[in-house]
Every structure is written in structure tokens, then in C-alpha cells.
Amino acid sequence: MSSAPHTPPPSPSAASSAAAADARYVLTLSCPDGTGIVARITGFLAEIGGWITDAAYHSDTETGRFFTRQEIRADSVAMDLEELRARFGAVAGSLDAETFHVTRLGTGQERRRVVLLVSKEGHCLYELLSRWHSGELGADIPVVIGNHPDLEPVVRLFGLPFRLIRVPADADGKAAAFAEIRAEVERHDPDAIVLARFMQVVPPELCEAWAGKLINIHHGFLPSFRGARPYHQAYARGVKLIGATCHYVSAELDAGPIIDQDVIRVDHGDSPADMVRRGRDIEKAVLARGLTWHLQDRVLIDGLRTIVFA
Amino acid sequence: MSSAPHTPPPSPSAASSAAAADARYVLTLSCPDGTGIVARITGFLAEIGGWITDAAYHSDTETGRFFTRQEIRADSVAMDLEELRARFGAVAGSLDAETFHVTRLGTGQERRRVVLLVSKEGHCLYELLSRWHSGELGADIPVVIGNHPDLEPVVRLFGLPFRLIRVPADADGKAAAFAEIRAEVERHDPDAIVLARFMQVVPPELCEAWAGKLINIHHGFLPSFRGARPYHQAYARGVKLIGATCHYVSAELDAGPIIDQDVIRVDHGDSPADMVRRGRDIEKAVLARGLTWHLQDRVLIDGLRTIVFA
Amino acid sequence: MSSAPHTPPPSPSAASSAAAADARYVLTLSCPDGTGIVARITGFLAEIGGWITDAAYHSDTETGRFFTRQEIRADSVAMDLEELRARFGAVAGSLDAETFHVTRLGTGQERRRVVLLVSKEGHCLYELLSRWHSGELGADIPVVIGNHPDLEPVVRLFGLPFRLIRVPADADGKAAAFAEIRAEVERHDPDAIVLARFMQVVPPELCEAWAGKLINIHHGFLPSFRGARPYHQAYARGVKLIGATCHYVSAELDAGPIIDQDVIRVDHGDSPADMVRRGRDIEKAVLARGLTWHLQDRVLIDGLRTIVFA
Amino acid sequence: MSSAPHTPPPSPSAASSAAAADARYVLTLSCPDGTGIVARITGFLAEIGGWITDAAYHSDTETGRFFTRQEIRADSVAMDLEELRARFGAVAGSLDAETFHVTRLGTGQERRRVVLLVSKEGHCLYELLSRWHSGELGADIPVVIGNHPDLEPVVRLFGLPFRLIRVPADADGKAAAFAEIRAEVERHDPDAIVLARFMQVVPPELCEAWAGKLINIHHGFLPSFRGARPYHQAYARGVKLIGATCHYVSAELDAGPIIDQDVIRVDHGDSPADMVRRGRDIEKAVLARGLTWHLQDRVLIDGLRTIVFA
């Protein structure tokens, strides 16, 4: 498949594209906390001449774990991704790191890829496609998969491929449909798979296969109002704030690690339909924010919790 | 019992006292929705010469019910509370009203009374006592009941009576203690009974007896995190916002009608202890707001929901 | 000019279109406050059989003025717009009303029209075009005018006409350009003219000609940070919250009546570029909200202030 | 002067006192940015065996300056405050630091001291005295100075000394009064002087003498609405959010470095009096937060901006 149509056209916002063009290495790591860790890591970066453009640390006093994210200018170190990964891996090993990652954020072949899954509600799709088109997303969208044809015109509007895969209600049909979805998703080797108001429960084996890459926007303030029709649940319960939650998907429904949340105030004058309408603004903002952080390796997962170096 | 010590001393904030001195009648009503209701009610008020200082209406499209709150200057109508109640009752009857109330908000004998129940956490108590002392609460506090002696010095500081009633763990002891609490509360005939971080579950029969008057502040964003240690639950779940909820108490724990809620943003750097500390500010603000609305008859209960004419 | 391309294609969000199809009459009025006004207005509506779907009132204690907005089902009254206007005008006259309006919100010929003016920043444009395309805006966009060609591809993407009118720096060129803009705008007889990050100061005579219809989004929390580069001003001043303001344009720069505002928290880690990026989300949300309220006659102007019956 | 009455009585909140009892050294520093700074500082801390309990860094890309705050357990390093200051001073020197500080946060003699200045509005005073009394403030209040007698009863309630110093309108009287205020303040050698709704303009020479220690709460969202009656200004301008600002005082009125701000939403229904009343909650919360951060050396001043390591 040619990658041409998935890269946005020359962006009208030249500035943001220009900023994205500066290649960076991002190094993240989690390890047992202790003394001297920051000294060890910053010492390593000083040693290889790394020009740090963004650095963040977190010592979790509850779990006794340490987390860091370091962003350095790619042109400041005289080595390629493989070598940097190997050398940082040695540091990580000496710290008994549980996880460590090195990524190159940049342009061309290195651009990140996002696959979207949608159903009928379009506001999150418009938001992500607009950000893709303007260059603000900083990633390619090789395909949008829908289980309904409703949003195909929106995807075509932006000149992107739309793939319709209907999901039948019966178990066999469903299994076959998700096998097809899986094949379509995986042939693009995406860095993120986004459920942009996709109204089907993703099977557990896919949640597992895509763990840490599968991102959902839930139109409720989790852990309240899991499952279907959260705004109607919120109305019935009489809450005074409604919310949206961007989270990694795990096998348990609406119970994966939360990346970001936001709320707006409602009152007795807001019907469920008003909540649905007003909630769209926060859903799309929270999803876009969470996805952007994920694509920049700003989110480290720690069990049910996330460390977000925003 | 002499009322002297429960009325705050001449307030340092003369302005707010002066405002409170203007007596008002507050009329509230709920009835099946239909055409001409507002015309009927405002026609009645025009007829008796009522000078409306605050008026609010709500037609609930989901339940088909109508709600209103009217505040008029007491000196604008040539009748006393009993007569006004009778005449408004006739209007209510003609509208098949499910509920209607007429109250006089003012000074002296008419001042509202609030009984507080506390345990060991003092921030909500300081807040309410400060508002009482400054005259901002606009109500008397005839007694504060504690199931621990810890906060007695705070209550004494403000010159108010403190009554210690320990609540044993065994069923009989507990029943006896709550009988004593009930007696102490009811002899003051309060307009509100406030659980200001009172860490005991109130027995169902008291919840019923005090329905619509018993107000709790829950240190979590309900319906998430009901029950004990909500901040620790919130930490474990990894939410990005924590909240507080002021609600009427019903027999089901933390499940009564919500009056007000608020949240603050937290991140991975906030330990459970940080959340406890930071949450105090919203707990006390939400409680003070909800209680004030209740005392001014601004809250109408509609099943699990509230109409708040703030 | 054919109106065909300016009406969005059959919307993917059928529900919102359906809701928009129910025609309504909206009646607004402002007059000196006094007793019996609500009774007079609701009496009139009851008399003509109006089925009220939304009603709001405001008595301003500072200015002594009364404001109301009534929304009724168009099919509930047996008269057309002209007759309703005449009969409501008689009520307005009897109340010494300073302003009164009757509009029909509906479909087809009655759809409202919005003209957009843009420069180079596209986020507000994407937002409004997406809402137009999905049917959520509930209005037509007959043309987008740009003083730079940068955003033409975005407008073409959505199948709408783009008109490039460059604005030279010299006084004569500028006057000629704005004469051309005026002609282009006025031939569409729009209900709203939106400066969607249009980076030119609109001449006073146009502000006057379009008073009450010309809406701007300012990327700062007015009245702070008027004029150019508000985020840089905010950074330099060290504020801890940045904001956006949707307001009617008056001849004095960034000083017209405010329709809506919002803010987000920033800290020392946010550079001016971060503020620009993060501010986009609130700019577009605030603009879309303010424009929607305007198009539904929910905003009444009272000097420098607005009454917003949202 | 005996310190006895200024230290709060044994706190009802034992937990917060216990937490406060763990002595800490806090080291802060600002210097020109460059590579290897974090490595240098963390290397130094590792060398002296410092157990870091909280660490924060900021590289300002606009100004090219670096800022850090390190909090370590006092019992983890085998040296006293003087020696630590000398050794950290050597590190600071090698980094060409513009500022560096070492403080010991703890108990007893080391407790920080706050002097309050008040006029007639009591809500901020109640808030700070409540936090002092509960032990949450973690500092002593040796005296409260008022230019009016109104709040003396509140201060006496909490058992603290109140000093009345009237400020006449004429220049000579004013100068004499502020000389007296200065003497009273300075004999307590405070770490913070707080204008808790003190309604007098502090003379420039005092602003200078107390620079970096003199903290004001302004009841407006600066830089909007400087000077008198900010809520009335906000009402007249028709803003949709009102705010409060905690800032260091400089000679120019309401123009010093901002520590924290917050806002609440208002609408056309809020009169200036409503804004005054509703604004109190955010004023006291923002002031308490800003003061606490200041007392824990979490605020670094950078010209007009502040770095807040909260």
C-alpha cells in the first residue's frame, strides 16, 4: 500500500510542521527507586553529549518505583537509534530497570502511524482528521476502519482510505469480523490504535495483543458510568459534573489505565441529550490530548496507573 | 436551652448581616408540567402585590415535571406566613402540585438551625464555624455532636456547646448511642443536620426520619469511590481528577440525591496523602455551598436528582 | 450564487439534524423591570396557545432592566412569523420594551447564514467547518473569506467557496480591500460574521454596520492582553491561567460585549509556543459555543454586558 | 515576647503535625542553563548521602535559565545547616548560580513565622487562623496587625495577639503609621508578611524592604482589574469568569510576580454583591495555597514570573 495519501498534504500551519521536523530521541525508563539514579542517567547523557530538551522524573513513594523521560536532540549525539538503544540499555540494566524504551521522533520513515476505529458518532473523527490534516497530530493515518458506513464520507473528505468491516451480532460472525479488523490493523504496524467512539467491545485477545497501544475515549468520568449510555446513567444519578476519559484498553471493560480525564459542569437544566451534545467537546479534546502524549512517549504505564510527563 | 450562645456575636462583616436582615418569603412548588403554569404563579404573585427578588423555573423534559422557586420581599405582601401558605396552597392545589413550601427567611426567631456531627477531621468544622461566626452562614448552630473528643477544643474556641457521644462497635452500644444522638439532635428541631466528616454510618431509620434534612460531604466524586478511604481508592484507580460530593443522605450508603460536586486535577505526583490534603479545600467549599443552598430553600429533590436554583 | 454547496450534505449525525428540523419561534425582549412582566408575557403565550419548550428570565438588579427569551413550538401557534411579530410587538410596546425580536429557527429557507473571515491559523476554521459538515452548527456557510491563501485548501476540502481578498498595508489599499470584503459579506445577508482568527483590525464603520452580528475569538482572557500576541503577553506577565474570549466586535479593539470565555491552567513549564498550542483547544471550543448561542438568539446585549440564556 | 501563644495548641489533626515533624533541608538554585547541571547537582547530593524526598527541575527555553528545588531528609546528611549551605554554595558557585538557598524545614526553633495584616474583610483571616490552629499551616503567627478594630475579636478568638495601628489619610499620619507597622512586623523577623485583604497601599520602601516575602491576595484575575473594587470592575466589563490572584508585592500596584490564580464561572445573574460573596471562596483558597508554597520554599522568582515547584 502506497503511503502517499496517508501523509497529510503540505500543511497550512507551516510553523508546527517545522517544529515537528527537529528529530529527537526519547528515552524512558522505570526501575526500583534508590539514591543516585538521576545522577546515573544524567551522567550518561552528559557523557554522550546529549542536548536535553525536556526532562522529567517521578519517584513514586507508594510503590517505590522511579520513572523518567528524557528528550534529547537527535543531532547532538553521534550515534544511531540502535547504538543509543544498546548503550542506554546498559544503563538500564545497571539500574535493574523493569522497562526502558528509546524512540526517534521525527519525520519521513520515522513518522508514527495511527489507525482509527469508528462507528457512527463523528466528532472525535473530525477532530483527529483535522489535526492530521493541519500537521498538528504529527503522525500518519494509514486507514480508518468503520463497522458502519456512516462516517465514510467524512474520511473520504480528508482523502484517506476507509475500510468498512461490519460486526455481526452472532459469535461466529463477530469473531470473523474482528479477525478481519486485526489483519487490517496489523498490516499497518501502528503505534496507536484508537477507538474514536467505536461502539463494539474489543475481544480480550485483541486487547492483549495491542496492550499499551489500544486507546479508547469513554464518554463518562471513569470509574463511574462504565459501559453503555454513560450520559444517561449520569443524568439518572443526578451528578453535577460530567466527564470523559481517555484510557488504554484492557480486557476488563472500561477499566484500563487512565491517560487523561476532564469534566464540565451540568445542572438540572441539562437533559441527557444536552449532556451528549455538551460532552462532545470534552471527549474530543481529552482524546486528542491523550493520543498526542502517547505518540510522544509521554505516558508510562504502572499497573492501573499512568505516569504522564506532559 | 438559652439561644444566646448559638447566635453569633455581632458580626465583623456588617454588610452580610445587613443583607440577611431583609426578610423574604420563599415559595417553592413542583407539579406536572403543562401550559400556563408560570402565568398562574406569576399572576398570583402579582395579585397579592409580591415584589419578586428572585425567580427560577425548570421544566424537566425527561420527567414531565415543573419546578419553581420564588423569592419575594416579606414586607411587600400584607399577610403573615400562615395566610400566605394557605393562599399559595390553593394555587398549588389547582396545579396538582406534588410538593409546595413557603418559608420565611429572616432574623430573630426565624433564624434557621443547623446541628453538626463530627469525628476527628476538622477542616469542614472550621469552615462552617467560621462562616457562622462571621454571620455568612445566616443560621444558628445550637450544638456540635462528636463521636470523638478530638474536635471539642475547636468548638469551644468558637464558644459553642460540644456534646460527646461515643459510638461503640457492638450493635447494642451503637443503637444506644444513635438513640442518644437522635434525642440531642431533635430537641433543637434543626432545619439541617450536617455530617461534617462524621465517620459513622447513620442507621437507616435516622436517614428516613431526617430525609431531606440530613446532609453529608463525601470526599470522593460520587458515584465513584463510595464507602471508606475514597482518596486511596482514587489513587489506586489512577484517576486524573479527584472530587467531593455534598448530598442528602438516604438509607443506601453514599447514594442519596447530590446537591453539589467539584473536582481538582491531580497527577502521578500526588500520593494518597497529597490527595487527602488537597481534597480538603474542595470538600469544605462544596459542603458550605450545598448547605447554604439548602438553608435558603434553593434545593428541590426529584427522586435521585436535585433541582438547584442557585 | 447557488446555495447548493453551502448547505451541508446529508449529515452522518442524523439525530442532530432531526432535532434541528423541529421549527421554533424564539421571542426575546428587554424592558424596564417592574411587577407583572412575567405574568404579562406568559399570559400572552398561553393566550395564543404557545407550547413553551424553553423559557428564561433575568431581572438585573444593577440596571433595573428585565430580559427574557421564550422558545415555543412553531406548530403550536396558528400564525406566521409576521403576525406573531406584530402581536408580540404589541405586548412589547405595552411594556415599554427597548428591544424585542421574533425569529423562526428551522430548516430550508429559514436556515441561518454565517460568513467566516480567516487568515493563516486554521484550528477555529476546522472546528466550524466540521460542525457545519456534521450538521451540528445548524447553519449554512455561503463563503469563507481569507486575506491569505493559506487556508483555501481547508475550505475546498469541505467543498465550500473560498474568496481571497488580500489586505494591503497602505491606507488606500486597506480601504479598498475592506470595501470588497464588505460587498462580499453583505451579498449573503448573513446572521453572523465570524472572525475565526482573522488577523486584521476591522474598520470602525464595518464594526458599526455589523454591530451585534460581528463575532471575534480573542486568544486571551479579556480585558487582559488586548491586541497582538496575547499569549506572549501572558507569558511575560507570568499568569497561571490563560484564556480565550468570544465577543461581539465594537469599534474599540477587543473591547466589545463578551459572549463567553474560558481558561486553562498553565505553569512555568509552558513556553509561549506551548501556550499557543494548548490555547487552541479553548479558542475553538469557546468560539463554537458563543456562535451557536448567537445563532439561536440566546445572547442579549446590554451595553458592555451580555445576558446569555444558554 | 513569649512565643507560647503563637504556636498552636496540640493539634487535633495529629497526623499532619507528625508529618511536619520530619525535618528536611530544602535546596534551591537558579543558574544559566547548560549541559550537565542536573548531573552536577544530583552527583553532589549522592556524594553527601542525601536522601531525596522531592526533586524538581525547570529549564526555561525563553530565558535560558535553569531552576531546581531539592528536598532531602535532614537526618540523611551528617552536617548542620551552615556546613550544608557552604558546601552547596561551592556547587552553586561552580554553576555561576544567580541565586541559591538552603533552608531547614522542621519544628521548634526552626518553625517559620508569618505576620498578617488585615482590615475589615475576615474570610482570609479565618482561613489562615484555622489552618494555623489545626497545624496545617506549619508556621507560627506572632501577631496580626489591623488598621481597623473590626477583626480583633476574630484574632482573640484564636488566642493570638492583635495590634491595632490606624492609618490616617494624610501623608504624615500615613508615614508614621507605616513606620509603626514596619517596626511591629520586623521585630518578629517573619518569613512571610501577608496582606490578608489589607485595604491600604503599602509604601514603596516597604515593598522593597520586604521584597520576596510580602504576599498579597488580590480579588481579581490580574492583570485585569487592578486597584480598587475589582469585582465591580468585572461586573461592569461583563466578564464570564472572575478570579483571585496571590502575588508578591512590588512597588507598582498589583503588578508583582504571581504565585497562583484561580477563577470561577459567573453569569449575567451574578450581581457585584454575588461576585464579592462567591469570590471569597477562591480568594482564601488561592492565598492559603500560595502562602504554603512560599513557606516551603517552593516558589522561585524570575523577574515578573515565578517558578512554582508545587
Side-chain angles (χ1 to χ4, degrees), chain A residues 177-189:
Chain A
F178 274 103
E180 206 180 339
I181 288 173
R182 179 172 194 164
E184 177 66 34
V185 165
E186 296 189 349
R187 75 191 187 89
H188 300 287
D189 188 22

Side-chain angles (χ1 to χ4, degrees), chain D residues 26 28 69 101 103 112 293-300:
Chain D
V26 175
T28 64
R69 177 185 186 273
H101 293 283
T103 330
R112 303 212 131 185
W293 290 338
H294 169 83
L295 290 174
Q296 297 175 350
D297 273 358
R298 296 184 179 278
V299 189
L300 280 69

Side-chain angles (χ1 to χ4, degrees), chain D:
Chain D
M1 172 174 267
S2 157
S3 73
H6 321 140
T7 303
S11 164
S13 317
S16 59
S17 289
D22 301 351
R24 298 275 188 275
Y25 287 124
V26 175
L27 304 87
T28 64
L29 172 153
S30 69
C31 66
D33 203 3
T35 58
I37 299 177
V38 174
R40 180 85 182 83
I41 291 167
T42 55
F44 165 71
L45 293 175
E47 187 189 315
I48 64 172
W51 178 330
I52 300 173
T53 55
D54 201 0
Y57 309 88
H58 172 59
S59 290
D60 201 295
T61 51
E62 299 296 304
T63 61
R65 300 182 73 198
F66 173 88
F67 302 84
T68 190
R69 177 185 186 273
Q70 305 282 336
E71 188 174 314
I72 60 175
R73 290 179 54 155
D75 60 8
S76 70
V77 294
M79 62 188 86
D80 65 8
L81 181 59
E82 289 318 302
E83 187 182 346
L84 180 59
R85 199 169 273 157
R87 295 201 43 190
F88 186 59
V91 175
S94 74
L95 295 169
D96 295 323
E98 289 124 7
T99 67
F100 80 95
H101 293 283
V102 183
T103 330
R104 188 176 160 109
L105 295 183
T107 53
Q109 293 306 314
E110 299 157 336
R111 284 178 65 86
R112 303 212 131 185
R113 286 171 307 283
V114 181
V115 169
L116 309 182
L117 278 77
V118 300
S119 294
K120 295 180 173 181
E121 283 278 346
H123 54 285
C124 289
L125 179 65
Y126 280 108
E127 178 74 21
L128 296 182
L129 296 186
S130 294
R131 285 171 186 255
W132 166 79
H133 188 261
S134 72
E136 192 178 344
L137 186 63
D140 293 334
I141 299 177
V143 71
V144 177
I145 301 170
N147 67 325
H148 291 282
D150 304 52
L151 295 174
E152 173 156 9
V154 179
V155 178
R156 298 288 179 209
L157 190 75
F158 284 86
L160 288 173
F162 178 84
R163 173 82 186 275
L164 174 65
I165 302 178
R166 295 187 188 272
V167 180
D170 65 293
D172 283 1
K174 189 169 294 209
F178 273 103
E180 206 180 338
I181 288 172
R182 179 173 195 163
E184 177 65 34
V185 166
E186 296 189 348
R187 75 191 186 89
H188 300 287
D189 187 22
D191 299 287
I193 303 117
V194 177
L195 308 179
R197 299 298 307 273
F198 180 67
M199 295 287 97
Q200 286 282 334
V201 176
V202 175
E205 66 275 13
L206 281 191
C207 296
E208 211 164 292
W210 298 339
K213 288 186 181 178
L214 182 57
I215 292 173
N216 184 43
I217 180 70
H218 180 74
H219 43 312
F221 185 72
L222 292 177
S224 295
F225 310 131
R226 293 162 61 173
R229 294 168 63 85
Y231 290 125
H232 291 76
Q233 293 182 49
Y235 175 88
R237 181 61 189 88
V239 292
K240 300 300 184 183
L241 296 159
I242 55 169
T245 304
C246 177
H247 65 99
Y248 290 110
V249 177
S250 62
E252 190 185 347
L253 185 64
D254 296 330
I258 293 168
I259 304 174
D260 197 24
Q261 304 188 283
D262 210 349
V263 293
I264 47 169
R265 193 162 279 277
V266 291
D267 67 22
H268 56 264
D270 288 289
S271 67
D274 292 329
M275 293 183 182
V276 166
R277 182 178 46 77
R278 296 187 56 203
R280 283 180 198 139
D281 280 359
I282 47 171
E283 290 168 39
K284 68 189 191 186
V286 167
L287 173 58
R289 208 154 57 207
L291 174 59
T292 302
W293 290 338
H294 169 83
L295 290 174
Q296 297 175 350
D297 273 358
R298 296 184 179 278
V299 189
L300 280 69
I301 298 176
D302 181 24
L304 252 185
R305 310 181 71 239
T306 60
I307 317 300
V308 179
F309 292 127

Side-chain angles (χ1 to χ4, degrees), chain C residues 200-241:
Chain C
Q200 286 281 335
V201 176
V202 175
E205 66 275 13
L206 281 190
C207 297
E208 212 164 291
W210 298 339
K213 288 187 181 178
L214 182 58
I215 293 174
N216 183 44
I217 179 70
H218 181 73
H219 43 312
F221 185 76
L222 292 178
S224 295
F225 311 133
R226 292 162 63 172
R229 293 167 62 85
Y231 291 124
H232 291 77
Q233 294 181 49
Y235 175 87
R237 182 59 190 88
V239 292
K240 300 301 185 184
L241 297 160

Side-chain angles (χ1 to χ4, degrees), chain C:
Chain C
M1 172 174 265
S2 156
S3 74
H6 321 140
T7 303
S11 163
S13 316
S16 59
S17 289
D22 301 351
R24 297 275 189 275
Y25 287 123
V26 175
L27 303 87
T28 65
L29 173 153
S30 69
C31 66
D33 203 2
T35 57
I37 299 178
V38 174
R40 179 87 182 81
I41 291 167
T42 55
F44 164 72
L45 292 175
E47 185 189 313
I48 63 171
W51 178 330
I52 300 173
T53 55
D54 202 359
Y57 310 88
H58 172 59
S59 290
D60 202 293
T61 51
E62 299 297 304
T63 61
R65 298 182 74 199
F66 173 87
F67 302 84
T68 190
R69 177 186 186 272
Q70 304 283 335
E71 189 175 312
I72 59 175
R73 289 179 54 156
D75 61 7
S76 71
V77 295
M79 63 188 85
D80 65 8
L81 181 59
E82 289 319 301
E83 187 182 346
L84 180 59
R85 199 169 273 155
R87 296 200 44 189
F88 187 59
V91 175
S94 73
L95 295 169
D96 293 323
E98 289 125 6
T99 68
F100 80 95
H101 293 284
V102 182
T103 330
R104 189 176 160 107
L105 295 183
T107 54
Q109 294 307 314
E110 299 157 335
R111 284 178 65 85
R112 304 212 130 184
R113 287 171 307 283
V114 181
V115 169
L116 309 182
L117 278 79
V118 301
S119 293
K120 295 179 173 181
E121 284 278 346
H123 53 285
C124 288
L125 179 65
Y126 280 108
E127 178 74 20
L128 296 183
L129 296 186
S130 293
R131 285 172 186 254
W132 166 79
H133 189 262
S134 72
E136 193 178 344
L137 186 62
D140 293 333
I141 299 178
V143 72
V144 177
I145 301 170
N147 67 325
H148 291 283
D150 304 52
L151 295 174
E152 172 157 9
V154 178
V155 178
R156 298 287 179 210
L157 190 74
F158 283 86
L160 288 174
F162 179 84
R163 174 83 186 274
L164 174 64
I165 303 178
R166 294 187 190 274
V167 180
D170 65 292
D172 283 359
K174 189 169 294 208
F178 273 103
E180 205 179 341
I181 288 173
R182 179 172 194 165
E184 177 66 34
V185 165
E186 295 188 349
R187 75 191 187 89
H188 300 288
D189 187 22
D191 299 287
I193 303 118
V194 176
L195 308 178
R197 298 299 308 271
F198 180 67
M199 294 288 97
Q200 286 281 335
V201 176
V202 175
E205 66 275 13
L206 281 190
C207 297
E208 212 164 291
W210 298 339
K213 288 187 181 178
L214 182 58
I215 293 174
N216 183 44
I217 179 70
H218 181 73
H219 43 312
F221 185 76
L222 292 178
S224 295
F225 311 133
R226 292 162 63 172
R229 293 167 62 85
Y231 291 124
H232 291 77
Q233 294 181 49
Y235 175 87
R237 182 59 190 88
V239 292
K240 300 301 185 184
L241 297 160
I242 55 169
T245 304
C246 178
H247 64 99
Y248 290 110
V249 177
S250 61
E252 189 184 347
L253 185 65
D254 296 331
I258 293 168
I259 304 173
D260 197 24
Q261 305 188 282
D262 209 349
V263 294
I264 47 170
R265 193 163 279 279
V266 292
D267 68 20
H268 56 264
D270 288 288
S271 68
D274 292 330
M275 292 183 182
V276 166
R277 182 177 46 75
R278 296 187 56 204
R280 283 179 199 139
D281 280 359
I282 47 170
E283 290 168 39
K284 67 189 191 187
V286 167
L287 173 58
R289 208 155 55 207
L291 174 59
T292 301
W293 290 337
H294 170 83
L295 290 174
Q296 298 175 349
D297 274 358
R298 296 184 179 279
V299 189
L300 280 69
I301 300 178
D302 181 23
L304 251 186
R305 310 181 71 237
T306 61
I307 316 301
V308 180
F309 292 126

Side-chain angles (χ1 to χ4, degrees), chain B residues 29-307:
Chain B
L29 173 154
S30 69
C31 66
D33 203 2
T35 56
I37 300 177
V38 174
R40 180 86 182 81
I41 293 168
T42 54
F44 165 72
L45 292 175
E47 186 188 313
I48 63 170
W51 179 329
I52 300 174
T53 55
D54 202 358
Y57 310 89
H58 172 59
S59 291
D60 202 294
T61 51
E62 298 297 304
T63 62
R65 298 181 74 199
F66 173 88
F67 302 83
T68 190
R69 177 186 187 273
Q70 305 282 335
E71 189 174 312
I72 60 175
R73 291 179 53 155
D75 60 8
S76 70
V77 295
M79 62 189 86
D80 66 7
L81 180 60
E82 290 317 301
E83 187 184 345
L84 181 58
R85 199 170 272 155
R87 295 200 45 188
F88 186 58
V91 175
S94 74
L95 295 168
D96 293 323
E98 289 124 7
T99 67
F100 81 95
H101 292 284
V102 182
T103 331
R104 189 176 158 107
L105 295 184
T107 53
Q109 294 306 314
E110 300 156 335
R111 285 178 66 85
R112 304 212 131 183
R113 287 172 306 284
V114 181
V115 169
L116 308 182
L117 278 78
V118 300
S119 293
K120 295 179 173 181
E121 283 279 346
H123 54 286
C124 288
L125 179 65
Y126 280 108
E127 178 73 20
L128 296 182
L129 296 186
S130 293
R131 284 172 187 254
W132 166 79
H133 188 263
S134 72
E136 193 178 344
L137 186 62
D140 293 333
I141 299 177
V143 71
V144 178
I145 302 170
N147 67 324
H148 291 282
D150 304 51
L151 295 174
E152 174 157 8
V154 179
V155 179
R156 298 288 179 210
L157 190 74
F158 284 86
L160 287 174
F162 178 86
R163 173 82 185 277
L164 174 65
I165 303 179
R166 294 187 190 272
V167 180
D170 65 293
D172 284 359
K174 189 170 293 209
F178 273 104
E180 205 179 339
I181 288 173
R182 180 173 194 163
E184 176 66 34
V185 166
E186 295 188 350
R187 75 190 187 88
H188 299 288
D189 186 23
D191 299 287
I193 303 118
V194 177
L195 308 178
R197 298 299 307 273
F198 180 67
M199 297 287 96
Q200 286 282 334
V201 176
V202 174
E205 66 274 14
L206 281 191
C207 297
E208 212 163 291
W210 298 338
K213 289 186 180 179
L214 181 58
I215 293 173
N216 183 44
I217 179 71
H218 180 74
H219 43 312
F221 184 73
L222 293 177
S224 294
F225 310 132
R226 291 162 62 172
R229 293 167 62 86
Y231 290 125
H232 292 76
Q233 293 182 51
Y235 174 87
R237 181 59 189 89
V239 292
K240 300 301 184 183
L241 297 160
I242 55 169
T245 304
C246 178
H247 64 100
Y248 290 110
V249 177
S250 61
E252 190 184 348
L253 185 65
D254 296 331
I258 294 168
I259 305 173
D260 197 24
Q261 306 188 281
D262 209 349
V263 294
I264 47 170
R265 193 163 278 279
V266 293
D267 67 19
H268 56 264
D270 288 289
S271 67
D274 292 329
M275 292 182 182
V276 167
R277 181 177 45 76
R278 296 187 56 202
R280 283 180 198 139
D281 280 359
I282 47 171
E283 289 168 38
K284 67 189 191 188
V286 167
L287 172 59
R289 208 153 56 206
L291 174 59
T292 301
W293 291 338
H294 169 82
L295 291 174
Q296 298 175 350
D297 274 357
R298 296 184 180 278
V299 189
L300 280 71
I301 299 177
D302 180 24
L304 252 186
R305 311 181 70 238
T306 60
I307 317 300

Side-chain angles (χ1 to χ4, degrees), chain A residues 129-144:
Chain A
L129 296 185
S130 293
R131 284 172 186 253
W132 166 79
H133 188 262
S134 72
E136 192 178 344
L137 186 62
D140 294 333
I141 299 178
V143 71
V144 177

